[in-house]
Amino acid sequence: MGHSIAQSKNQIAQQFNSMSKDERKENLGMVTQCELLDFKMYSVRDILWFKQGNLKMTLPKGIDYPKEFVQKDEKGMQKIMRRIFPFRKN
């Protein structure tokens, strides 16, 4: 997903950079599109970090963390395997 977002942003940037100054003024919406893709990339990053346990989020009352995000007391090899394969269910 990150690669797809980056490719889209690069295509827009290349197209915008190839325009004349007058064309750029008429197509300022392309700058906004790139900014929105930046925001989308940061959101994908945050979701990944959350799933890996590197980012903590406070959820509203009444909503529990999904079971695969709750880490129990892991020991030795379990902890290593979880770091290598963070999305794998036990």
Side-chain angles (χ1 to χ4, degrees), residues 17-67:
N17 290 334
S18 69
M19 294 179 178
S20 68
K21 288 184 180 183
D22 291 335
E23 289 175 323
R24 288 181 186 181
K25 288 178 184 176
E26 293 175 11
N27 292 295
L28 288 176
M30 295 173 82
V31 175
T32 304
Q33 286 177 335
C34 283
E35 291 171 352
L36 290 173
L37 289 171
D38 281 337
F39 181 77
K40 191 173 183 180
M41 183 68 87
Y42 288 127
S43 297
V44 169
R45 178 204 62 189
D46 290 346
I47 291 168
L48 177 65
W49 284 359
F50 178 73
K51 287 183 86 169
Q52 291 175 341
N54 299 323
L55 180 66
K56 304 293 181 205
M57 292 185 194
T58 306
L59 297 177
K61 290 182 179 180
I63 298 177
D64 296 324
Y65 278 94
K67 290 180 183 177

